């Protein structure tokens, strides 16, 4: 049994817990939290909840720690710290800062003789992996990533910070016409606005100036200004009834050419339809936790990404069984 | 430069040649053939064409041989033979015989200190790889593979062997309704007949009994009897005009559940639309030839499959560049 530790028990931590519960070769050994451990009620019967500050005491009780903190301020600090003590995974998703995060985690993991796998999930993660395979096998071409229809936590948070907003959900929606043109192999040049639209469901305070809120949303730089954005004001009841899920998904599509003169066309598409973003991400993390455990058993150490993990490492079955049944 | 040898200069060999031509880090060193070398006219200017029997003389002139023979009788003999002398790839596709082919090639590759990667292409190959990733990250679920719309060489050959048939093309066609049910996450149980239909375009000899030919096709065991098959008799001119391409493709779809009680649904789909099956397969083989070369440089040896190759090995770029741009 691979003994898993979870650091952080939010939506993602709960997703990892469920994935471990449904993996016959894994057991959840401990949950680390920054909150009062007595206030955390895990689903897993009898599992220990410990303070994050006591994590070093568990070095011989846990094989892999799945770090479920946030990318903005938590993971850059905690993943290197954990990597010095344990094999560790995270889902660090600030694309621009991956190189510096990698370097720090690599130093820590090597010093401790552990495996760390960063940026595991679906984007970065399975989408990155598919972009790479598509680029490798169709080197002459263009790829496109569409996200949604799904809830963007960051955009929902941005709306909530506006004065007069009680709660909000933002859906990122791919523009169907753009997706169809890419699928047809047209290789179009698409602006930000042509690829996605944004739908906002907003609960406003009583008496709030809705026109001002709508304008503040639609003109918000980086988040909404470059998109066609639609704002719907709804009641808290409607938000609770229709918008409590965390669905997401999207597609990576590459069209490219082969042949001596590059005149033969091909299209590759990888797509996800997810009812729960954190549960799916948790399930991807659990599979890569198995790989981290095995790579360490093979004597490897240091920081890795999904690019460095041979696919067979993700599976419980032996190479022989995999070749006989999945190849 | 990675020096590539191609064994067998049919459609697949030509596909590999084009992929090598379009890979800046590869050069085609030699084509091995069983025909009279003087009768072979490669596209690559100045490339040497040598008899397959003289292959051992090229041990220090070639880094990786891509073996483009057929799975039925050629690859089981030639891939082990080549593996003793060179790093080698093939696209062996007789699923049931992969374990025994692997064992033979593994012995030969280890004895020669080489890397062999077998069953590289799209099925087996990219489809197998995607089945594995999907199974790893959604262990509770079902997957489905649909092929087509595309030309099946084996089924076209089977029709050509019927008395009175001059030429024929067979298209494998996925049943749209079945694909839609799988995409919707219904997890249906589907018979062979419910998943694919078969369309046959047949040129008959003048005066041949078309009713008999049609009946022989439709009742042919293994190939057609279990499918809804449509037969169209056409002229040789129409066959030449409309059916000379070798398009193919298909989809691997897995729908599965996550969450503590496995009540949250997700669907993953990987799909290919290929204008030329051999050119695409050749392009996949070229990418894995790069991986074979690198794995050997890292000191590895023995037989591998796509399951054993870390994705970053397929790419020219360094790990650092890949993390910065593709993750």
């Amino acid at each position: 049994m691979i003994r898993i530790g979870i650091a952080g028990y939010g939506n993602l931590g709960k997703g990892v817990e469920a994935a471990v519960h449904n993996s016959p070769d894994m057991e959840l050994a401990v949950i680390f939290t920054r909150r009062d451990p007595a206030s955390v009620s895990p689903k897993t019967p009898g599992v220990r909840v410990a303070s994050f500050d006591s994590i070093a005491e568990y070095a011989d009780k846990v094989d892999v720690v799945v770090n479920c903190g946030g990318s903005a301020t938590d993971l850059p600090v905690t993943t290197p710290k954990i990597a010095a003590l344990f094999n560790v995974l995270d889902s660090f998703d600030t694309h621009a800062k991956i190189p510096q995060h990698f370097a720090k985690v690599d130093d820590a993991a090597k010093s401790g003789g552990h495996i760390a796998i960063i940026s595991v999930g679906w984007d970065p993660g399975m989408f990155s992996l598919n972009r790479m395979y598509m680029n490798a096998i169709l080197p002459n071409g263009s790829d496109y990533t569409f996200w949604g229809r799904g809830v963007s936590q960051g955009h929902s948070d941005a709306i909530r910070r506006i004065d007069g907003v009680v709660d909000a959900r933002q859906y990122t929606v791919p523009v169907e016409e753009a997706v169809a043109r890419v699928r047809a192999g047209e290789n179009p040049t698409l602006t930000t606005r042509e690829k996605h639209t944004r739908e906002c469901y907003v609960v406003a305070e009583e008496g709030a100036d809705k026109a001002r809120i709508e304008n503040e949303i639609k003109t918000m730089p980086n988040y909404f200004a470059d998109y066609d954005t639609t704002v719907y004001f709804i009641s808290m009841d409607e938000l609770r009834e229709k918008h409590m899920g965390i669905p997401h998904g999207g597609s990576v599509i590459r069209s490219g050419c082969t042949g001596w003169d590059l005149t033969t066309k091909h299209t590759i598409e990888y797509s996800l339809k997810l009812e729960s973003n954190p549960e799916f991400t948790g399930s991807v993390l659990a599979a890569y936790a198995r790989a981290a455990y095995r790579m360490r058993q093979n004597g490897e150490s240091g920081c890795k990404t999904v690019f460095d993990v041979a696919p067979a490492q993700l599976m419980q079955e032996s190479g022989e069984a995999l070749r006989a049944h999945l190849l």
Side-chain angles (χ1 to χ4, degrees), chain A:
Chain A
M1 294 293 262
I2 305 173
R3 298 167 305 168
I4 302 289
I6 292 174
Y9 194 65
N11 284 330
L12 182 56
K14 287 171 189 168
V16 173
E17 181 187 29
V20 169
H21 171 66
N22 289 304
S23 296
D25 60 336
M26 297 184 190
E27 63 185 7
L28 182 59
V30 55
I31 292 169
F32 301 107
T33 181
R34 281 245 171 61
R35 288 180 273 170
D36 173 9
S39 74
V40 174
S41 307
K43 279 226 167 190
T44 308
V47 74
R48 180 190 293 260
V49 181
S51 162
F52 186 83
D53 297 328
S54 69
I55 194 166
E57 296 166 26
Y58 292 81
D60 61 347
K61 296 184 182 69
V62 172
D63 296 310
V64 185
V65 172
V66 184
N67 191 8
C68 299
S71 293
T73 57
D74 188 69
L75 298 179
V77 177
T78 55
T79 301
K81 196 169 169 175
I82 301 172
L85 300 162
F86 301 89
N87 301 311
V88 62
L89 275 84
D90 75 22
S91 58
F92 185 77
D93 66 0
T94 312
H95 290 259
K97 292 185 178 165
I98 286 174
Q100 73 192 70
H101 186 53
F102 182 92
K104 270 197 195 173
V105 176
D106 193 46
D107 282 349
K110 280 181 178 152
S111 76
H114 298 114
I115 286 280
I117 313 180
I118 61 162
S119 302
V120 177
W122 61 275
D123 198 3
M126 301 313 296
F127 271 18
S128 328
L129 198 57
N130 275 279
R131 275 189 289 266
M132 169 170 290
Y133 276 117
M134 291 175 190
N135 272 272
I137 64 183
L138 281 184
N140 295 283
S142 314
D143 49 49
Y144 298 83
T145 303
F146 293 99
W147 295 274
R149 188 176 197 261
V151 171
S152 164
Q153 213 60 54
H155 288 79
S156 301
D157 288 345
I159 299 171
R160 278 186 214 108
R161 285 192 293 264
I162 293 172
D163 198 46
V165 171
V166 181
D167 204 348
R169 287 298 177 283
Q170 193 271 180
Y171 294 87
T172 306
V173 185
V175 175
E176 275 311 319
E177 192 213 338
V179 179
R181 289 181 62 197
V182 170
R183 273 191 190 133
E186 284 184 34
N187 275 5
T189 303
L190 297 167
T191 64
T192 298
R193 192 176 298 274
E194 286 167 335
K195 285 169 73 179
H196 297 93
T197 59
R198 300 198 174 277
E199 277 177 26
C200 313
Y201 295 84
V202 180
V203 182
E205 278 172 16
E206 253 196 67
D209 180 350
K210 290 180 179 173
R212 177 198 40 89
I213 292 173
E214 182 167 342
N215 185 56
E216 279 192 40
I217 295 172
K218 290 185 170 177
T219 58
M220 196 184 296
N222 302 320
Y223 286 88
F224 294 101
D226 297 335
Y227 298 85
D228 289 339
T229 300
T230 318
V231 178
Y232 302 97
F233 287 96
I234 59 173
S235 69
M236 188 57 105
D237 285 349
E238 189 176 340
L239 187 88
R240 287 209 182 103
E241 193 189 323
K242 297 183 183 163
H243 302 284
M244 292 310 283
I246 318 174
H248 221 311
S251 301
V252 179
I253 307 174
R254 184 170 179 87
S255 63
C257 295
T258 62
W260 190 262
D261 301 314
L262 299 173
T263 50
T264 313
K265 276 175 138 185
H266 309 276
T267 306
I268 313 177
E269 177 165 354
Y270 178 81
S271 61
L272 296 173
K273 264 187 300 187
L274 312 176
E275 276 188 6
S276 163
N277 186 351
E279 283 185 15
F280 184 79
T281 303
S283 204
V284 177
L285 281 161
Y288 278 89
R290 182 180 294 121
Y293 176 75
R294 291 189 168 185
M295 290 167 86
R296 183 59 209 140
Q297 286 201 311
N298 295 342
E300 295 179 63
S301 70
C303 189
K304 313 285 176 187
T305 74
V306 294
F307 296 161
D308 308 304
V309 178
Q313 303 278 20
L314 302 170
M315 302 290 287
Q316 259 192 274
E317 292 82 351
S318 69
E320 216 168 347
L322 295 172
R323 285 189 295 273
H325 303 122
L326 277 177
L327 199 64

